[in-house]
Amino acid sequence: MANHPSDHDGASGGPDEGALRGPGDQAHHAGPPGRGAEGWAPYGGGPSSAATAEMPAPGGWQGHGGYAPAAAWSGGWPGYSGPAGQPAQAPWYGARPAEPPAPANPYHPPQAPAYYPEPPARTGGPRRGTLIALALVALLLSGVIGGVVGHSLAGNGRGGSVGVLGQPLPSVGEASAPTTPVEGVAARVLPSVVQLRVEGPTASGEGSAMVLSPDGLLLTNNHVVEEAAQSGSVTAVFQDGTTAPAQIVGRDPSSDLAVIRAQNLSGLTPVELGNSDSVRVGQQVIAFGAPLGLGGTVTTGIISAVDRAVNVGEETGANTPTVLNALQTDAAINPGNSGGPLVDMEGRVVGINSAIATTGAQGGSIGVGFSIPINQARRVAEELERTGRASRAVLGVTVTDDPRQAGAVIKEVSAGGAAELAGIRSGDIVLRFGDQRISTGTDLQAAVGSRAPGEVIEVQLADRTVQATLTAAPN
C-alpha cells in the first residue's frame, strides 16, 4: 500500500503511514498500528476492496500522512579502539632505533691515518684587511636577514596568520552566488506553505497545507486532519512563525482531500495554481512541506510518471478504497510532507504531496513519491468549501485482471449505471479510458475517480469503443 506522509501518534484511523501513517503526518503511534505496512497507503494504507479491484496491492507503500514514530536524532564523533579489553595500538611515528655499529674487520688491520703538510701561510697586510672587511659585511647582512626571518616567524605564531585564516570575510553581497531558479521559486512559494499540528483523541501528528485565500482557507490531505474530525484540534503554523487554530470546512476521504480554515487571519499569500494536465515526464518540480516536523523544507526532483494508479487503502469515512491517479516524482517526500504543494519551475502548484513508496513500515523517501494532480484537487476543494462535501464519479462496474493480457476485465455491471447505459457488458476488457491507457483494474479505478460526475468519456474496449456518461456516487 502507499503510505501517507503525515505523522501521527496512536492508532491510525486512515490509510496513512504504511502500518502507521504517511508523509502528511509524522507518526507518533501510542497505540497499535492502523494500516498494514505491506501495500499502498497514503502514508499508511488500509486494505483495498476486493470488490472494486481484485488485484493484490503492491507492497511497501507509505503515505505521507502516516503516524510513524519519528526517529531519534543522535550525534557524536566515532570512537576508535582495539580489541575488547586491550588498549588501542597507536601507529609508530618515532624514528627507527639506531643500527648497532658494525664489527671490526678481523682480516684487515686498521691503517694509520695519512698526514699531509699544511701549506705555508701567506704574509702581507692588504689581504688580511680585505678578509676582515668581508667578515664585517657578512655579519651585518646576517643581522638584517635574521631580523626579517624572526619577524616572519613571529607573524606565523599564535599572534596571527598570513594564510587564509588571517584574511577578512567577503561582504554578504560578494559571498552570495547568483540566484538559482530553485531559490527564486522557494522565495515565492514558502510564504504560502503551512505546517499543521493535529491533536486527536487517540493520536497526534503533523502535516502540511497550502494557502488558498488571504483570509485563511487552506488545502491539505484528509488523512492529515481526519484524526481531529470528530474531536481534537488543528493548529496552523505559518512561515513567519504565526500560529492560529484551524477548523475543518469539509473533507473527502475518497479523494484524500480536505479544506480547513485558519481562524482570525487576513493578508495571507495564496499559492498560484497551475494546470496538471500540462505536466510532462522529466519536467523539473519542487516539493514543499514539513517532513518530520521540519517546517519550510524544500526538495527538488522531476516528474517520473503521470497517471500513476496508487491504491492507498480505505480511509475512515470512505466507502471504497482510495485510489489516486497520481503524479509520480523523485523529489524527496517524507512523513509530514502530506498536504504540501508540488510546484513547477514557475512556482505554480501542479500537485499535492500525498503518498510515498517505501521498503518498510517506518521507511522514508526512496525517490518514489505521489501527488494528487491539482486539477482534480481544485474541483474537490471548490465543492468542499461550498457544501462541505465532494461528489465522486463512478462507472458502475467491478473489475478484475487477467494476467494473460493487459486491460481491466469487467466482472459485474451495475443495473442502470453509466457502464450499462453505454453498452458495456460483463467480460468486456477496457483498454483505454479517455486518453489514458488502462493496463489493470486499479488503473481504471484511478482514471474514473479523477473525473467529475457528468463527464462524457470515450471508453475503448477490446472489440469496440463506446461513450459513457459518468454518474455521481451516493454520499
Side-chain angles (χ1 to χ4, degrees), residues 316-353:
T316 302
N319 51 16
T320 60
T322 299
V323 182
L324 307 178
N325 196 44
L327 301 174
Q328 180 181 329
T329 179
D330 68 349
I333 299 174
N334 286 285
N337 269 116
S338 277
L342 183 73
V343 308
D344 61 19
M345 296 307 293
E346 299 296 324
R348 298 171 299 204
V349 179
V350 296
I352 301 173
N353 304 322

mmCIF file of all heavy atoms in Angstrom, residues 316-353:
data_model
loop_
_atom_site.group_PDB
_atom_site.id
_atom_site.type_symbol
_atom_site.label_atom_id
_atom_site.label_comp_id
_atom_site.label_asym_id
_atom_site.label_seq_id
_atom_site.Cartn_x
_atom_site.Cartn_y
_atom_site.Cartn_z
ATOM 1 N N THR A 316 -10.881 6.301 6.721
ATOM 2 C CA THR A 316 -12.057 6.411 7.570
ATOM 3 C C THR A 316 -13.107 7.278 6.891
ATOM 4 O O THR A 316 -12.825 8.400 6.481
ATOM 5 C CB THR A 316 -11.678 7.038 8.921
ATOM 6 O OG1 THR A 316 -10.661 6.226 9.528
ATOM 7 C CG2 THR A 316 -12.882 7.133 9.830
ATOM 8 N N GLY A 317 -14.306 6.753 6.751
ATOM 9 C CA GLY A 317 -15.386 7.505 6.125
ATOM 10 C C GLY A 317 -15.549 7.227 4.652
ATOM 11 O O GLY A 317 -16.531 7.639 4.050
ATOM 12 N N ALA A 318 -14.586 6.526 4.042
ATOM 13 C CA ALA A 318 -14.703 6.195 2.626
ATOM 14 C C ALA A 318 -15.415 4.857 2.467
ATOM 15 O O ALA A 318 -15.188 3.924 3.238
ATOM 16 C CB ALA A 318 -13.326 6.130 1.976
ATOM 17 N N ASN A 319 -16.295 4.772 1.456
ATOM 18 C CA ASN A 319 -16.992 3.508 1.234
ATOM 19 C C ASN A 319 -16.308 2.661 0.180
ATOM 20 O O ASN A 319 -16.775 1.572 -0.138
ATOM 21 C CB ASN A 319 -18.459 3.762 0.864
ATOM 22 C CG ASN A 319 -18.601 4.756 -0.271
ATOM 23 O OD1 ASN A 319 -17.633 5.027 -0.977
ATOM 24 N ND2 ASN A 319 -19.802 5.308 -0.436
ATOM 25 N N THR A 320 -15.225 3.153 -0.400
ATOM 26 C CA THR A 320 -14.418 2.384 -1.340
ATOM 27 C C THR A 320 -12.951 2.717 -1.077
ATOM 28 O O THR A 320 -12.638 3.755 -0.496
ATOM 29 C CB THR A 320 -14.744 2.737 -2.809
ATOM 30 O OG1 THR A 320 -14.485 4.121 -3.022
ATOM 31 C CG2 THR A 320 -16.187 2.420 -3.142
ATOM 32 N N PRO A 321 -12.034 1.851 -1.503
ATOM 33 C CA PRO A 321 -10.615 2.176 -1.337
ATOM 34 C C PRO A 321 -10.262 3.472 -2.063
ATOM 35 O O PRO A 321 -10.824 3.782 -3.109
ATOM 36 C CB PRO A 321 -9.902 0.972 -1.950
ATOM 37 C CG PRO A 321 -10.898 -0.122 -1.919
ATOM 38 C CD PRO A 321 -12.234 0.520 -2.098
ATOM 39 N N THR A 322 -9.319 4.212 -1.484
ATOM 40 C CA THR A 322 -8.850 5.441 -2.117
ATOM 41 C C THR A 322 -7.764 5.080 -3.111
ATOM 42 O O THR A 322 -6.712 4.550 -2.740
ATOM 43 C CB THR A 322 -8.298 6.413 -1.067
ATOM 44 O OG1 THR A 322 -9.347 6.739 -0.147
ATOM 45 C CG2 THR A 322 -7.787 7.682 -1.718
ATOM 46 N N VAL A 323 -8.017 5.339 -4.383
ATOM 47 C CA VAL A 323 -7.060 5.052 -5.442
ATOM 48 C C VAL A 323 -6.749 6.368 -6.145
ATOM 49 O O VAL A 323 -7.631 6.990 -6.745
ATOM 50 C CB VAL A 323 -7.608 4.021 -6.443
ATOM 51 C CG1 VAL A 323 -6.553 3.708 -7.503
ATOM 52 C CG2 VAL A 323 -8.028 2.745 -5.726
ATOM 53 N N LEU A 324 -5.503 6.804 -6.060
ATOM 54 C CA LEU A 324 -5.098 8.075 -6.647
ATOM 55 C C LEU A 324 -4.652 7.888 -8.092
ATOM 56 O O LEU A 324 -3.997 6.905 -8.431
ATOM 57 C CB LEU A 324 -3.942 8.689 -5.844
ATOM 58 C CG LEU A 324 -4.148 8.854 -4.337
ATOM 59 C CD1 LEU A 324 -2.881 9.442 -3.716
ATOM 60 C CD2 LEU A 324 -5.356 9.723 -4.051
ATOM 61 N N ASN A 325 -5.002 8.839 -8.929
ATOM 62 C CA ASN A 325 -4.466 8.904 -10.290
ATOM 63 C C ASN A 325 -3.351 9.946 -10.234
ATOM 64 O O ASN A 325 -3.535 11.101 -10.581
ATOM 65 C CB ASN A 325 -5.568 9.315 -11.267
ATOM 66 C CG ASN A 325 -5.197 9.027 -12.702
ATOM 67 O OD1 ASN A 325 -4.672 7.972 -13.021
ATOM 68 N ND2 ASN A 325 -5.449 9.986 -13.581
ATOM 69 N N ALA A 326 -2.180 9.533 -9.764
ATOM 70 C CA ALA A 326 -1.194 10.466 -9.231
ATOM 71 C C ALA A 326 -0.102 10.840 -10.214
ATOM 72 O O ALA A 326 0.166 10.147 -11.197
ATOM 73 C CB ALA A 326 -0.561 9.865 -7.982
ATOM 74 N N LEU A 327 0.547 11.979 -9.873
ATOM 75 C CA LEU A 327 1.821 12.337 -10.475
ATOM 76 C C LEU A 327 2.907 11.676 -9.646
ATOM 77 O O LEU A 327 2.908 11.797 -8.421
ATOM 78 C CB LEU A 327 2.028 13.853 -10.447
ATOM 79 C CG LEU A 327 0.980 14.713 -11.153
ATOM 80 C CD1 LEU A 327 1.268 16.195 -10.905
ATOM 81 C CD2 LEU A 327 0.945 14.420 -12.641
ATOM 82 N N GLN A 328 3.815 10.973 -10.285
ATOM 83 C CA GLN A 328 4.926 10.352 -9.567
ATOM 84 C C GLN A 328 6.148 11.246 -9.671
ATOM 85 O O GLN A 328 6.464 11.769 -10.741
ATOM 86 C CB GLN A 328 5.241 8.972 -10.138
ATOM 87 C CG GLN A 328 6.390 8.257 -9.428
ATOM 88 C CD GLN A 328 6.684 6.905 -10.028
ATOM 89 O OE1 GLN A 328 5.780 6.230 -10.542
ATOM 90 N NE2 GLN A 328 7.946 6.490 -9.980
ATOM 91 N N THR A 329 6.854 11.443 -8.545
ATOM 92 C CA THR A 329 8.032 12.303 -8.536
ATOM 93 C C THR A 329 9.139 11.677 -7.710
ATOM 94 O O THR A 329 8.872 10.887 -6.790
ATOM 95 C CB THR A 329 7.699 13.697 -7.959
ATOM 96 O OG1 THR A 329 8.881 14.503 -7.953
ATOM 97 C CG2 THR A 329 7.163 13.595 -6.538
ATOM 98 N N ASP A 330 10.390 12.033 -8.032
ATOM 99 C CA ASP A 330 11.510 11.577 -7.212
ATOM 100 C C ASP A 330 11.964 12.653 -6.239
ATOM 101 O O ASP A 330 12.957 12.458 -5.520
ATOM 102 C CB ASP A 330 12.678 11.103 -8.087
ATOM 103 C CG ASP A 330 13.341 12.236 -8.859
ATOM 104 O OD1 ASP A 330 12.784 13.353 -8.894
ATOM 105 O OD2 ASP A 330 14.428 12.006 -9.439
ATOM 106 N N ALA A 331 11.269 13.790 -6.187
ATOM 107 C CA ALA A 331 11.569 14.784 -5.158
ATOM 108 C C ALA A 331 11.312 14.149 -3.790
ATOM 109 O O ALA A 331 10.312 13.467 -3.601
ATOM 110 C CB ALA A 331 10.701 16.026 -5.337
ATOM 111 N N ALA A 332 12.215 14.367 -2.848
ATOM 112 C CA ALA A 332 12.101 13.705 -1.539
ATOM 113 C C ALA A 332 10.831 14.130 -0.814
ATOM 114 O O ALA A 332 10.591 15.319 -0.595
ATOM 115 C CB ALA A 332 13.321 14.038 -0.691
ATOM 116 N N ILE A 333 10.002 13.155 -0.469
ATOM 117 C CA ILE A 333 8.774 13.364 0.297
ATOM 118 C C ILE A 333 8.812 12.382 1.461
ATOM 119 O O ILE A 333 9.072 11.192 1.265
ATOM 120 C CB ILE A 333 7.523 13.124 -0.572
ATOM 121 C CG1 ILE A 333 7.491 14.108 -1.753
ATOM 122 C CG2 ILE A 333 6.259 13.250 0.248
ATOM 123 C CD1 ILE A 333 6.364 13.849 -2.734
ATOM 124 N N ASN A 334 8.574 12.876 2.656
ATOM 125 C CA ASN A 334 8.674 12.063 3.862
ATOM 126 C C ASN A 334 7.469 12.312 4.761
ATOM 127 O O ASN A 334 6.679 13.230 4.505
ATOM 128 C CB ASN A 334 9.968 12.392 4.611
ATOM 129 C CG ASN A 334 11.196 11.825 3.929
ATOM 130 O OD1 ASN A 334 11.459 10.630 3.986
ATOM 131 N ND2 ASN A 334 11.959 12.691 3.264
ATOM 132 N N PRO A 335 7.317 11.508 5.839
ATOM 133 C CA PRO A 335 6.219 11.764 6.766
ATOM 134 C C PRO A 335 6.231 13.205 7.258
ATOM 135 O O PRO A 335 7.236 13.706 7.744
ATOM 136 C CB PRO A 335 6.502 10.774 7.905
ATOM 137 C CG PRO A 335 7.203 9.647 7.231
ATOM 138 C CD PRO A 335 8.059 10.272 6.187
ATOM 139 N N GLY A 336 5.095 13.872 7.116
ATOM 140 C CA GLY A 336 4.989 15.293 7.435
ATOM 141 C C GLY A 336 4.825 16.152 6.208
ATOM 142 O O GLY A 336 4.395 17.303 6.285
ATOM 143 N N ASN A 337 5.183 15.613 5.018
ATOM 144 C CA ASN A 337 5.043 16.358 3.763
ATOM 145 C C ASN A 337 3.606 16.356 3.230
ATOM 146 O O ASN A 337 3.276 17.158 2.347
ATOM 147 C CB ASN A 337 5.944 15.777 2.671
ATOM 148 C CG ASN A 337 7.310 16.404 2.612
ATOM 149 O OD1 ASN A 337 8.317 15.750 2.837
ATOM 150 N ND2 ASN A 337 7.352 17.685 2.304
ATOM 151 N N SER A 338 2.771 15.451 3.712
ATOM 152 C CA SER A 338 1.426 15.321 3.157
ATOM 153 C C SER A 338 0.677 16.636 3.225
ATOM 154 O O SER A 338 0.634 17.298 4.264
ATOM 155 C CB SER A 338 0.624 14.265 3.925
ATOM 156 O OG SER A 338 0.919 12.989 3.459
ATOM 157 N N GLY A 339 0.038 16.996 2.122
ATOM 158 C CA GLY A 339 -0.738 18.226 2.042
ATOM 159 C C GLY A 339 0.049 19.397 1.517
ATOM 160 O O GLY A 339 -0.518 20.441 1.193
ATOM 161 N N GLY A 340 1.365 19.261 1.422
ATOM 162 C CA GLY A 340 2.195 20.340 0.896
ATOM 163 C C GLY A 340 2.166 20.383 -0.623
ATOM 164 O O GLY A 340 1.841 19.395 -1.283
ATOM 165 N N PRO A 341 2.524 21.522 -1.216
ATOM 166 C CA PRO A 341 2.443 21.655 -2.669
ATOM 167 C C PRO A 341 3.637 21.071 -3.406
ATOM 168 O O PRO A 341 4.766 21.092 -2.906
ATOM 169 C CB PRO A 341 2.375 23.168 -2.870
ATOM 170 C CG PRO A 341 3.129 23.726 -1.699
ATOM 171 C CD PRO A 341 2.855 22.792 -0.554
ATOM 172 N N LEU A 342 3.379 20.550 -4.590
ATOM 173 C CA LEU A 342 4.398 20.204 -5.581
ATOM 174 C C LEU A 342 4.248 21.237 -6.691
ATOM 175 O O LEU A 342 3.163 21.363 -7.276
ATOM 176 C CB LEU A 342 4.179 18.793 -6.121
ATOM 177 C CG LEU A 342 5.228 18.278 -7.112
ATOM 178 C CD1 LEU A 342 6.531 17.955 -6.382
ATOM 179 C CD2 LEU A 342 4.717 17.029 -7.848
ATOM 180 N N VAL A 343 5.307 21.996 -6.975
ATOM 181 C CA VAL A 343 5.186 23.119 -7.909
ATOM 182 C C VAL A 343 6.140 22.953 -9.085
ATOM 183 O O VAL A 343 7.135 22.224 -9.000
ATOM 184 C CB VAL A 343 5.465 24.467 -7.201
ATOM 185 C CG1 VAL A 343 4.615 24.602 -5.942
ATOM 186 C CG2 VAL A 343 6.939 24.627 -6.851
ATOM 187 N N ASP A 344 5.814 23.647 -10.185
ATOM 188 C CA ASP A 344 6.703 23.659 -11.336
ATOM 189 C C ASP A 344 7.745 24.757 -11.154
ATOM 190 O O ASP A 344 7.782 25.438 -10.116
ATOM 191 C CB ASP A 344 5.914 23.817 -12.642
ATOM 192 C CG ASP A 344 5.132 25.124 -12.709
ATOM 193 O OD1 ASP A 344 5.438 26.082 -11.950
ATOM 194 O OD2 ASP A 344 4.183 25.210 -13.527
ATOM 195 N N MET A 345 8.585 24.955 -12.153
ATOM 196 C CA MET A 345 9.672 25.920 -12.022
ATOM 197 C C MET A 345 9.206 27.357 -12.174
ATOM 198 O O MET A 345 10.023 28.282 -12.099
ATOM 199 C CB MET A 345 10.767 25.607 -13.035
ATOM 200 C CG MET A 345 11.433 24.256 -12.810
ATOM 201 S SD MET A 345 12.051 24.019 -11.118
ATOM 202 C CE MET A 345 13.360 25.224 -11.074
ATOM 203 N N GLU A 346 7.908 27.563 -12.346
ATOM 204 C CA GLU A 346 7.325 28.902 -12.297
ATOM 205 C C GLU A 346 6.673 29.166 -10.938
ATOM 206 O O GLU A 346 6.095 30.229 -10.732
ATOM 207 C CB GLU A 346 6.279 29.072 -13.412
ATOM 208 C CG GLU A 346 6.841 28.925 -14.815
ATOM 209 C CD GLU A 346 7.860 30.002 -15.140
ATOM 210 O OE1 GLU A 346 7.674 31.150 -14.680
ATOM 211 O OE2 GLU A 346 8.838 29.692 -15.849
ATOM 212 N N GLY A 347 6.750 28.187 -10.044
ATOM 213 C CA GLY A 347 6.145 28.335 -8.729
ATOM 214 C C GLY A 347 4.652 28.062 -8.703
ATOM 215 O O GLY A 347 3.999 28.373 -7.703
ATOM 216 N N ARG A 348 4.112 27.440 -9.745
ATOM 217 C CA ARG A 348 2.675 27.134 -9.808
ATOM 218 C C ARG A 348 2.430 25.708 -9.317
ATOM 219 O O ARG A 348 3.138 24.778 -9.703
ATOM 220 C CB ARG A 348 2.169 27.292 -11.236
ATOM 221 C CG ARG A 348 2.322 28.723 -11.763
ATOM 222 C CD ARG A 348 2.012 28.811 -13.234
ATOM 223 N NE ARG A 348 2.905 27.988 -14.043
ATOM 224 C CZ ARG A 348 3.164 28.201 -15.331
ATOM 225 N NH1 ARG A 348 2.593 29.206 -15.965
ATOM 226 N NH2 ARG A 348 3.986 27.397 -15.986
ATOM 227 N N VAL A 349 1.412 25.541 -8.482
ATOM 228 C CA VAL A 349 1.121 24.238 -7.894
ATOM 229 C C VAL A 349 0.564 23.299 -8.955
ATOM 230 O O VAL A 349 -0.425 23.614 -9.622
ATOM 231 C CB VAL A 349 0.120 24.372 -6.729
ATOM 232 C CG1 VAL A 349 -0.191 22.992 -6.137
ATOM 233 C CG2 VAL A 349 0.669 25.300 -5.649
ATOM 234 N N VAL A 350 1.194 22.128 -9.093
ATOM 235 C CA VAL A 350 0.709 21.116 -10.031
ATOM 236 C C VAL A 350 0.213 19.870 -9.309
ATOM 237 O O VAL A 350 -0.445 19.023 -9.910
ATOM 238 C CB VAL A 350 1.791 20.727 -11.062
ATOM 239 C CG1 VAL A 350 2.142 21.923 -11.939
ATOM 240 C CG2 VAL A 350 3.035 20.168 -10.375
ATOM 241 N N GLY A 351 0.526 19.750 -8.015
ATOM 242 C CA GLY A 351 0.074 18.570 -7.280
ATOM 243 C C GLY A 351 0.136 18.788 -5.782
ATOM 244 O O GLY A 351 0.703 19.777 -5.296
ATOM 245 N N ILE A 352 -0.482 17.853 -5.038
ATOM 246 C CA ILE A 352 -0.480 17.870 -3.578
ATOM 247 C C ILE A 352 0.226 16.599 -3.105
ATOM 248 O O ILE A 352 -0.240 15.484 -3.373
ATOM 249 C CB ILE A 352 -1.907 17.925 -3.015
ATOM 250 C CG1 ILE A 352 -2.622 19.171 -3.510
ATOM 251 C CG2 ILE A 352 -1.894 17.900 -1.488
ATOM 252 C CD1 ILE A 352 -4.083 19.200 -3.134
ATOM 253 N N ASN A 353 1.348 16.749 -2.415
ATOM 254 C CA ASN A 353 2.112 15.603 -1.940
ATOM 255 C C ASN A 353 1.248 14.755 -1.012
ATOM 256 O O ASN A 353 0.720 15.259 -0.023
ATOM 257 C CB ASN A 353 3.362 16.086 -1.196
ATOM 258 C CG ASN A 353 4.206 16.999 -2.051
ATOM 259 O OD1 ASN A 353 4.357 16.792 -3.243
ATOM 260 N ND2 ASN A 353 4.767 18.027 -1.439
#
